[in-house]
Amino acid sequence: QVQLVESGGGLVQAGGSLRLSCAASGRTFSSYAMAWFRQAPGKEREFVAGLNWSYADAVKGRFTISRDNAKNTVYLQMNSLKPEDTAVYYCAAGRMISSSDYYLSRNYGYWGQGTQVTVSS
């Protein structure tokens, strides 16, 4: 069982940066596949980045995912933010996910409550 709590969202101007954190409970944190997804109003939830070092095309070169197993925390560093990055960002964890399937939300059994990121133009 894993519980996920995101933090670090907020309001930022276009071109700015934010770092999201996802704190996970559970002693087997390091054995879980982890990823970030986001959902904008009126749109479906979409993959952002996974700890297989894959990224959505829309964020490549601007976002970086990382993990600190000692702190049971996953991070998403977001630079050069754009208004179209505005969304609720979710952290997700799952077991036995093949690298090619990290982008599929249905593979993740654990989700955080989400943190709002708003980028103003």
Side-chain angles (χ1 to χ4, degrees):
Q1 191 79 2
V2 175
Q3 291 185 323
L4 306 172
V5 178
E6 302 98 334
S7 62
L11 173 64
V12 64
Q13 289 188 333
S17 298
L18 283 174
R19 189 177 79 157
L20 305 183
S21 299
C22 172
S25 64
R27 292 178 291 178
T28 59
F29 167 75
S30 61
S31 67
Y32 283 81
M34 304 289 294
W36 286 95
F37 289 78
R38 67 185 182 186
Q39 187 166 19
K43 295 187 176 181
E44 293 187 354
R45 190 169 297 188
E46 64 177 5
F47 173 78
V48 175
L51 275 173
N52 62 339
W53 320 120
S54 62
Y55 295 88
D57 288 343
V59 307
K60 278 181 183 176
R62 299 188 299 121
F63 290 12
T64 303
I65 189 171
S66 62
R67 179 180 200 156
D68 186 336
N69 285 338
K71 295 183 178 180
N72 278 12
T73 301
V74 176
Y75 302 99
L76 185 68
Q77 178 67 43
M78 305 185 297
N79 299 328
S80 302
L81 283 161
K82 304 175 181 180
E84 51 264 44
D85 294 319
T86 295
V88 177
Y89 283 71
Y90 297 91
C91 178
R95 300 293 297 270
M96 301 179 67
I97 301 175
S98 64
S99 184
S100 61
D101 291 338
Y102 263 63
Y103 71 99
L104 293 171
S105 61
R106 66 172 182 263
N107 288 332
Y108 295 85
Y110 303 98
W111 294 83
Q113 83 289 350
T115 185
Q116 176 70 47
V117 172
T118 303
V119 184
S120 63
S121 57

CSV table of all heavy atoms in Angstrom, one decimal, residues 4 32-37 45 47-52 54 65 90-95 97-111:
chain,number,residue,atom,x,y,z
A,4,LEU,N,0.2,8.8,-1.5
A,4,LEU,CA,1.0,9.8,-2.2
A,4,LEU,C,0.4,11.2,-1.8
A,4,LEU,O,-0.8,11.4,-1.9
A,4,LEU,CB,1.0,9.6,-3.7
A,4,LEU,CG,1.4,8.2,-4.1
A,4,LEU,CD1,1.1,8.0,-5.6
A,4,LEU,CD2,2.9,8.0,-3.9
A,32,TYR,N,8.4,0.7,-6.6
A,32,TYR,CA,7.3,1.1,-7.4
A,32,TYR,C,7.7,2.0,-8.6
A,32,TYR,O,8.6,2.8,-8.5
A,32,TYR,CB,6.3,2.0,-6.6
A,32,TYR,CG,5.4,1.2,-5.6
A,32,TYR,CD1,5.9,0.7,-4.4
A,32,TYR,CD2,4.1,0.9,-6.0
A,32,TYR,CE1,5.1,0.0,-3.5
A,32,TYR,CE2,3.3,0.1,-5.1
A,32,TYR,CZ,3.8,-0.3,-3.9
A,32,TYR,OH,3.0,-1.0,-3.1
A,33,ALA,N,7.0,1.8,-9.7
A,33,ALA,CA,7.1,2.7,-10.8
A,33,ALA,C,6.4,3.9,-10.5
A,33,ALA,O,5.3,3.9,-9.9
A,33,ALA,CB,6.5,2.0,-12.1
A,34,MET,N,7.0,5.1,-10.8
A,34,MET,CA,6.4,6.4,-10.5
A,34,MET,C,6.3,7.3,-11.7
A,34,MET,O,7.2,7.2,-12.6
A,34,MET,CB,7.3,7.1,-9.4
A,34,MET,CG,7.5,6.3,-8.1
A,34,MET,SD,6.1,6.1,-7.1
A,34,MET,CE,5.8,7.8,-6.6
A,35,ALA,N,5.3,8.1,-11.7
A,35,ALA,CA,5.1,9.0,-12.8
A,35,ALA,C,4.3,10.2,-12.4
A,35,ALA,O,3.7,10.2,-11.4
A,35,ALA,CB,4.5,8.3,-14.0
A,36,TRP,N,4.4,11.3,-13.2
A,36,TRP,CA,3.6,12.4,-13.1
A,36,TRP,C,2.6,12.5,-14.3
A,36,TRP,O,3.0,12.3,-15.4
A,36,TRP,CB,4.4,13.7,-13.0
A,36,TRP,CG,5.2,13.9,-11.8
A,36,TRP,CD1,6.5,13.6,-11.5
A,36,TRP,CD2,4.7,14.6,-10.6
A,36,TRP,NE1,6.8,13.9,-10.3
A,36,TRP,CE2,5.7,14.5,-9.7
A,36,TRP,CE3,3.5,15.1,-10.2
A,36,TRP,CZ2,5.6,15.1,-8.4
A,36,TRP,CZ3,3.4,15.7,-8.9
A,36,TRP,CH2,4.4,15.6,-8.0
A,37,PHE,N,1.4,12.8,-13.9
A,37,PHE,CA,0.3,13.1,-14.9
A,37,PHE,C,-0.3,14.5,-14.7
A,37,PHE,O,-0.1,15.1,-13.6
A,37,PHE,CB,-0.8,12.0,-14.9
A,37,PHE,CG,-0.4,10.7,-15.3
A,37,PHE,CD1,0.4,9.8,-14.6
A,37,PHE,CD2,-0.8,10.2,-16.6
A,37,PHE,CE1,0.8,8.6,-15.0
A,37,PHE,CE2,-0.4,9.0,-17.1
A,37,PHE,CZ,0.4,8.2,-16.3
A,45,ARG,N,-6.8,13.3,-18.5
A,45,ARG,CA,-5.6,13.2,-17.8
A,45,ARG,C,-4.5,12.7,-18.8
A,45,ARG,O,-4.7,11.8,-19.6
A,45,ARG,CB,-5.7,12.2,-16.6
A,45,ARG,CG,-4.5,12.3,-15.7
A,45,ARG,CD,-4.8,11.5,-14.4
A,45,ARG,NE,-5.9,12.1,-13.7
A,45,ARG,CZ,-6.3,11.7,-12.5
A,45,ARG,NH1,-5.6,10.7,-11.9
A,45,ARG,NH2,-7.3,12.3,-11.9
A,47,PHE,N,-0.1,11.9,-19.6
A,47,PHE,CA,1.2,11.6,-19.0
A,47,PHE,C,2.1,12.8,-19.2
A,47,PHE,O,2.1,13.5,-20.2
A,47,PHE,CB,1.7,10.4,-19.8
A,47,PHE,CG,3.1,10.1,-19.5
A,47,PHE,CD1,3.5,9.4,-18.3
A,47,PHE,CD2,4.2,10.4,-20.4
A,47,PHE,CE1,4.8,9.1,-18.0
A,47,PHE,CE2,5.5,10.1,-20.1
A,47,PHE,CZ,5.8,9.4,-18.9
A,48,VAL,N,2.9,13.1,-18.2
A,48,VAL,CA,3.9,14.1,-18.2
A,48,VAL,C,5.3,13.6,-18.2
A,48,VAL,O,6.1,13.9,-19.1
A,48,VAL,CB,3.7,15.1,-17.0
A,48,VAL,CG1,4.8,16.2,-17.0
A,48,VAL,CG2,2.4,15.8,-17.1
A,49,ALA,N,5.6,12.8,-17.2
A,49,ALA,CA,7.0,12.2,-17.1
A,49,ALA,C,7.0,11.0,-16.2
A,49,ALA,O,6.1,10.9,-15.3
A,49,ALA,CB,7.9,13.3,-16.5
A,50,GLY,N,7.9,10.1,-16.5
A,50,GLY,CA,8.0,8.8,-15.7
A,50,GLY,C,9.4,8.6,-15.3
A,50,GLY,O,10.3,9.1,-15.8
A,51,LEU,N,9.5,7.8,-14.2
A,51,LEU,CA,10.9,7.5,-13.7
A,51,LEU,C,11.6,6.5,-14.6
A,51,LEU,O,12.6,5.9,-14.1
A,51,LEU,CB,10.8,7.1,-12.3
A,51,LEU,CG,10.8,8.2,-11.3
A,51,LEU,CD1,10.6,7.8,-9.9
A,51,LEU,CD2,12.1,9.0,-11.4
A,52,ASN,N,11.1,6.2,-15.7
A,52,ASN,CA,11.9,5.5,-16.8
A,52,ASN,C,12.5,6.5,-17.7
A,52,ASN,O,13.0,6.2,-18.8
A,52,ASN,CB,11.0,4.5,-17.6
A,52,ASN,CG,9.9,5.3,-18.3
A,52,ASN,OD1,9.6,6.4,-18.0
A,52,ASN,ND2,9.4,4.6,-19.4
A,54,SER,N,11.2,8.9,-19.3
A,54,SER,CA,10.4,9.3,-20.5
A,54,SER,C,9.6,10.6,-20.2
A,54,SER,O,9.2,10.8,-19.1
A,54,SER,CB,9.4,8.2,-20.9
A,54,SER,OG,8.5,7.9,-19.9
A,65,ILE,N,12.2,14.9,-14.1
A,65,ILE,CA,11.7,14.1,-13.0
A,65,ILE,C,12.9,13.5,-12.3
A,65,ILE,O,13.9,13.2,-12.9
A,65,ILE,CB,10.7,13.0,-13.5
A,65,ILE,CG1,10.1,12.2,-12.4
A,65,ILE,CG2,11.5,12.0,-14.4
A,65,ILE,CD1,9.0,11.3,-12.8
A,90,TYR,N,-0.7,15.3,-10.9
A,90,TYR,CA,-0.9,14.2,-10.1
A,90,TYR,C,0.3,13.3,-10.1
A,90,TYR,O,0.9,13.0,-11.1
A,90,TYR,CB,-2.1,13.3,-10.5
A,90,TYR,CG,-3.4,14.0,-10.5
A,90,TYR,CD1,-3.9,14.7,-11.6
A,90,TYR,CD2,-4.2,13.9,-9.3
A,90,TYR,CE1,-5.2,15.3,-11.5
A,90,TYR,CE2,-5.5,14.5,-9.3
A,90,TYR,CZ,-5.9,15.2,-10.4
A,90,TYR,OH,-7.1,15.8,-10.3
A,91,CYS,N,0.7,12.8,-8.9
A,91,CYS,CA,1.7,11.8,-8.8
A,91,CYS,C,1.0,10.4,-8.8
A,91,CYS,O,-0.1,10.2,-8.2
A,91,CYS,CB,2.4,12.0,-7.5
A,91,CYS,SG,3.7,10.9,-7.1
A,92,ALA,N,1.7,9.4,-9.4
A,92,ALA,CA,1.1,8.1,-9.5
A,92,ALA,C,2.1,7.0,-9.3
A,92,ALA,O,3.3,7.2,-9.6
A,92,ALA,CB,0.5,7.9,-10.9
A,93,ALA,N,1.7,5.9,-8.7
A,93,ALA,CA,2.6,4.8,-8.4
A,93,ALA,C,2.0,3.5,-8.8
A,93,ALA,O,0.7,3.4,-8.7
A,93,ALA,CB,3.0,4.8,-6.9
A,94,GLY,N,2.8,2.6,-9.3
A,94,GLY,CA,2.2,1.3,-9.7
A,94,GLY,C,3.3,0.2,-9.6
A,94,GLY,O,4.5,0.5,-9.5
A,95,ARG,N,2.8,-1.0,-9.7
A,95,ARG,CA,3.8,-2.1,-9.6
A,95,ARG,C,3.8,-2.8,-11.0
A,95,ARG,O,2.8,-2.9,-11.7
A,95,ARG,CB,3.3,-3.1,-8.6
A,95,ARG,CG,3.2,-2.6,-7.2
A,95,ARG,CD,4.5,-2.3,-6.6
A,95,ARG,NE,5.4,-3.4,-6.4
A,95,ARG,CZ,5.4,-4.2,-5.4
A,95,ARG,NH1,4.6,-4.0,-4.4
A,95,ARG,NH2,6.3,-5.2,-5.3
A,97,ILE,N,5.2,-2.3,-14.0
A,97,ILE,CA,4.8,-1.6,-15.2
A,97,ILE,C,6.1,-1.6,-16.1
A,97,ILE,O,7.1,-1.2,-15.7
A,97,ILE,CB,4.5,-0.1,-14.9
A,97,ILE,CG1,3.3,-0.1,-14.0
A,97,ILE,CG2,4.2,0.6,-16.2
A,97,ILE,CD1,2.9,1.3,-13.5
A,98,SER,N,5.8,-2.1,-17.3
A,98,SER,CA,7.0,-2.2,-18.3
A,98,SER,C,7.3,-0.8,-18.7
A,98,SER,O,6.4,0.1,-18.7
A,98,SER,CB,6.6,-3.1,-19.4
A,98,SER,OG,5.5,-2.5,-20.2
A,99,SER,N,8.5,-0.6,-19.1
A,99,SER,CA,9.0,0.8,-19.4
A,99,SER,C,8.2,1.4,-20.6
A,99,SER,O,7.9,2.6,-20.6
A,99,SER,CB,10.5,0.7,-19.8
A,99,SER,OG,10.9,2.0,-20.1
A,100,SER,N,7.7,0.5,-21.5
A,100,SER,CA,7.0,1.0,-22.6
A,100,SER,C,5.5,1.4,-22.3
A,100,SER,O,4.8,2.0,-23.1
A,100,SER,CB,6.9,0.0,-23.7
A,100,SER,OG,6.3,-1.2,-23.3
A,101,ASP,N,5.1,1.1,-21.1
A,101,ASP,CA,3.7,1.4,-20.7
A,101,ASP,C,3.6,2.4,-19.6
A,101,ASP,O,2.6,2.6,-19.0
A,101,ASP,CB,3.1,0.1,-20.2
A,101,ASP,CG,2.8,-0.9,-21.3
A,101,ASP,OD1,2.7,-0.5,-22.5
A,101,ASP,OD2,2.7,-2.1,-21.0
A,102,TYR,N,4.7,3.1,-19.3
A,102,TYR,CA,4.7,4.1,-18.2
A,102,TYR,C,3.6,5.2,-18.5
A,102,TYR,O,3.1,5.9,-17.6
A,102,TYR,CB,6.0,4.8,-18.1
A,102,TYR,CG,6.9,4.2,-17.0
A,102,TYR,CD1,7.2,2.8,-17.0
A,102,TYR,CD2,7.3,4.9,-15.9
A,102,TYR,CE1,8.0,2.3,-16.0
A,102,TYR,CE2,8.0,4.4,-14.9
A,102,TYR,CZ,8.4,3.1,-14.9
A,102,TYR,OH,9.2,2.5,-13.9
A,103,TYR,N,3.3,5.5,-19.8
A,103,TYR,CA,2.5,6.6,-20.1
A,103,TYR,C,1.0,6.3,-19.9
A,103,TYR,O,0.2,7.2,-20.0
A,103,TYR,CB,2.7,7.0,-21.6
A,103,TYR,CG,2.2,6.0,-22.6
A,103,TYR,CD1,1.0,6.2,-23.2
A,103,TYR,CD2,3.0,4.9,-22.9
A,103,TYR,CE1,0.5,5.3,-24.1
A,103,TYR,CE2,2.5,4.0,-23.8
A,103,TYR,CZ,1.3,4.2,-24.4
A,103,TYR,OH,0.8,3.3,-25.3
A,104,LEU,N,0.7,5.0,-19.6
A,104,LEU,CA,-0.7,4.6,-19.5
A,104,LEU,C,-1.2,4.8,-18.1
A,104,LEU,O,-0.8,4.1,-17.2
A,104,LEU,CB,-0.9,3.2,-20.0
A,104,LEU,CG,-0.6,2.9,-21.5
A,104,LEU,CD1,-0.6,1.4,-21.7
A,104,LEU,CD2,-1.7,3.6,-22.3
A,105,SER,N,-2.2,5.7,-17.9
A,105,SER,CA,-2.7,6.0,-16.5
A,105,SER,C,-3.3,4.7,-15.9
A,105,SER,O,-3.3,4.6,-14.7
A,105,SER,CB,-3.6,7.1,-16.5
A,105,SER,OG,-4.8,6.9,-17.3
A,106,ARG,N,-3.9,3.9,-16.7
A,106,ARG,CA,-4.6,2.7,-16.2
A,106,ARG,C,-3.7,1.7,-15.5
A,106,ARG,O,-4.1,0.9,-14.7
A,106,ARG,CB,-5.4,2.0,-17.2
A,106,ARG,CG,-4.5,1.3,-18.3
A,106,ARG,CD,-5.4,0.5,-19.2
A,106,ARG,NE,-4.6,-0.2,-20.3
A,106,ARG,CZ,-4.4,0.2,-21.5
A,106,ARG,NH1,-5.0,1.4,-21.9
A,106,ARG,NH2,-3.7,-0.4,-22.3
A,107,ASN,N,-2.4,1.8,-15.7
A,107,ASN,CA,-1.4,0.9,-15.1
A,107,ASN,C,-1.1,1.3,-13.6
A,107,ASN,O,-0.4,0.5,-12.9
A,107,ASN,CB,-0.1,0.9,-15.9
A,107,ASN,CG,-0.3,0.1,-17.2
A,107,ASN,OD1,-1.2,-0.7,-17.3
A,107,ASN,ND2,0.5,0.5,-18.2
A,108,TYR,N,-1.5,2.5,-13.2
A,108,TYR,CA,-1.1,3.0,-11.9
A,108,TYR,C,-2.3,2.8,-10.9
A,108,TYR,O,-3.4,3.2,-11.1
A,108,TYR,CB,-0.8,4.4,-12.0
A,108,TYR,CG,0.5,4.7,-12.8
A,108,TYR,CD1,0.4,4.8,-14.2
A,108,TYR,CD2,1.7,4.7,-12.2
A,108,TYR,CE1,1.5,5.0,-14.9
A,108,TYR,CE2,2.9,4.9,-13.0
A,108,TYR,CZ,2.8,5.0,-14.3
A,108,TYR,OH,3.9,5.2,-15.1
A,109,GLY,N,-2.0,2.1,-9.8
A,109,GLY,CA,-3.0,1.8,-8.8
A,109,GLY,C,-3.1,2.8,-7.7
A,109,GLY,O,-4.1,2.8,-6.9
A,110,TYR,N,-2.1,3.7,-7.6
A,110,TYR,CA,-2.1,4.7,-6.5
A,110,TYR,C,-1.9,6.1,-7.0
A,110,TYR,O,-1.0,6.3,-7.9
A,110,TYR,CB,-1.0,4.4,-5.5
A,110,TYR,CG,-1.0,3.0,-5.0
A,110,TYR,CD1,-0.3,1.9,-5.5
A,110,TYR,CD2,-1.9,2.7,-3.9
A,110,TYR,CE1,-0.4,0.6,-5.0
A,110,TYR,CE2,-2.0,1.4,-3.4
A,110,TYR,CZ,-1.2,0.4,-4.0
A,110,TYR,OH,-1.3,-0.9,-3.5
A,111,TRP,N,-2.7,7.0,-6.5
A,111,TRP,CA,-2.7,8.4,-7.0
A,111,TRP,C,-2.7,9.3,-5.8
A,111,TRP,O,-3.4,9.1,-4.8
A,111,TRP,CB,-3.9,8.7,-7.9
A,111,TRP,CG,-3.9,7.9,-9.2
A,111,TRP,CD1,-4.3,6.6,-9.4
A,111,TRP,CD2,-3.4,8.4,-10.4
A,111,TRP,NE1,-4.1,6.3,-10.7
A,111,TRP,CE2,-3.6,7.3,-11.3
A,111,TRP,CE3,-2.9,9.6,-10.8
A,111,TRP,CZ2,-3.2,7.4,-12.7
A,111,TRP,CZ3,-2.5,9.7,-12.2
A,111,TRP,CH2,-2.7,8.6,-13.1
